[in-house]
Amino acid sequence: MMPTSHSVRLLVDARNSLGESPLWCPRSQALWWIDVQQPSLWQWDHATGATKTWPLPKPPGNISLLEGGGLLVAYRKGLAVLREPDMHPEPLRLGEFEFGDERFNDGKVDRLGRLWVGSFDRSLERETGRLYRADASMSIRAVDTGFGLSNGIGWSSDSSTLYFADTHAQCIYRYAFDLKSGEACDRDVFVEFRPGPGGPDGLTVDAEGGVWCALFDRGRVDRYSADGTLDLSVELPVSRPTSCTIGGPRMRTLFITTARMGIDEEALTTQSGAGGVFCLEIGQRGLLGQPFAPSTDLSARQARQ
């Protein structure tokens, strides 16, 4: 059955300025996400329905699960380990890596535990964004370049295809992907959107190969089949969805983060849930996320450097 706007419900009225990077943890049966503009970490517990939040010392770009527990936080200009939500993040040293005028944005971990993270020019004026891969040894390299606003990342269920959104280009790209080597090549356009405000933001891929993408400033989440055909659109009661993921006990709940920044007071009267987390039940099963898998204990490695 195709979801409708009536299927969507407000799960957490978080009032995030820029909610982002929703992450389902199967071990704790909890949803994690961040507020980028009001730097904070959030958690919703499925068993109790309770929501918790913790301040972060600076704006995050994305979060990932960490093998053995905790979270990997990609800040705008670096990575850090957050072992417990109320602890101070431990910065990681990236081998032979220097930023120019760009900063990290969205990111995700592939099925061999490598972090993929996009960047963009801080002035949002140049197409200097890159797609990076950070390996277990914390070596990091650019896999592709020339992006205006790097955003959602995901893989097909067999890991043969990598999807990557550039909001400014109004495109979701796809690459031929080799999981063993971590190489992505032969970029082409998977979906191209009409010109206009906002565009493709965070995305996730289901077990049937469908690509779900939040369309910022367009008030909906679209699902595309593996051939790029629009399968369905989920209309939302707010205009600025930012990202989505699939989780829940049955792995059939679509969670959607949203933003309220930039929405004027008059518009907020009709978008009271802006900045909240929305959800709906879907027919497709999600794919379990992979934790970042360092080759050795992070603390020991940092001490040796």
Side-chain angles (χ1 to χ4, degrees):
M1 178 182 295
M2 181 177 293
T4 69
S5 59
H6 301 293
S7 307
V8 179
R9 67 184 180 93
L10 180 60
L11 180 71
V12 180
D13 189 12
R15 297 179 176 264
N16 293 149
S17 181
L18 181 54
E20 268 286 5
S21 197
L23 177 67
W24 177 255
C25 178
R27 184 173 61 179
S28 61
Q29 291 288 290
L31 180 73
W32 296 88
W33 73 97
I34 54 176
D35 187 336
V36 178
Q37 294 295 96
Q38 297 177 333
S40 51
L41 174 68
W42 292 69
Q43 182 205 61
W44 173 79
D45 184 273
H46 175 266
T48 65
T51 301
K52 297 179 181 178
T53 183
W54 300 266
L56 292 172
K58 53 187 176 180
N62 66 79
I63 54 173
S64 303
L65 296 175
L66 189 65
E67 188 176 65
L71 296 169
L72 181 70
V73 183
Y75 287 110
R76 293 182 172 184
K77 294 183 74 68
L79 303 177
V81 168
L82 188 62
R83 299 193 182 277
E84 296 290 343
D86 57 353
M87 293 178 65
H88 193 81
E90 305 169 26
L92 295 176
R93 186 177 302 167
L94 302 178
E96 298 181 2
F97 174 77
E98 291 185 6
F99 254 146
D101 292 327
E102 53 181 319
R103 71 171 178 85
F104 285 144
N105 198 38
D106 213 344
K108 202 161 287 184
V109 177
D110 70 22
R111 293 186 180 94
L112 285 184
R114 296 167 296 216
L115 175 69
W116 293 71
V117 58
S119 69
F120 63 91
D121 173 40
R122 288 178 292 176
S123 68
L124 293 175
E125 294 178 352
R126 296 172 297 175
E127 295 181 348
T128 57
R130 302 181 183 188
L131 175 61
Y132 290 98
R133 186 190 69 217
D135 297 321
S137 63
M138 297 313 301
S139 64
I140 183 168
R141 76 175 186 89
V143 176
D144 202 0
T145 63
F147 304 106
L149 180 52
S150 301
N151 254 307
I153 300 172
W155 290 266
S156 59
S157 57
D158 63 358
S159 292
S160 65
T161 303
L162 166 65
Y163 299 98
F164 180 53
D166 183 346
T167 307
H168 280 189
Q170 300 291 350
C171 284
I172 301 174
Y173 297 111
R174 64 182 167 192
Y175 297 80
F177 184 68
D178 184 274
L179 179 63
K180 183 177 180 180
S181 68
E183 295 299 321
C185 61
D186 300 329
R187 181 179 83 187
D188 69 351
V189 175
F190 175 62
V191 177
E192 185 171 8
F193 297 85
R194 60 173 174 78
D201 204 325
L203 63 80
T204 193
V205 185
D206 64 42
E208 296 178 9
V211 178
W212 300 77
C213 185
L215 298 182
F216 188 81
D217 251 347
R218 304 190 185 188
R220 69 180 197 270
V221 174
D222 285 349
R223 180 185 187 268
Y224 293 86
S225 58
D227 63 2
T229 302
L230 178 63
D231 180 55
L232 61 87
S233 287
V234 179
E235 298 293 329
L236 300 172
V238 295
S239 61
R240 294 193 156 181
T242 57
S243 191
C244 56
T245 195
I246 303 172
R250 298 173 54 245
M251 291 299 293
R252 292 182 185 272
T253 303
L254 183 71
F255 297 101
I256 305 162
T257 50
T258 69
R260 63 190 289 120
M261 69 172 192
I263 302 176
D264 61 40
E265 291 300 320
E266 182 178 354
L268 284 174
T269 62
T270 60
Q271 298 186 45
S272 60
V277 176
F278 292 81
C279 69
L280 72 153
E281 300 305 308
I282 58 175
Q284 298 81 12
R285 182 174 57 82
L287 298 167
L288 287 174
Q290 187 73 19
F292 180 71
S295 56
T296 60
D297 178 77
L298 290 168
S299 294
R301 183 166 68 245
Q302 292 299 313
R304 292 196 298 268
Q305 291 183 343

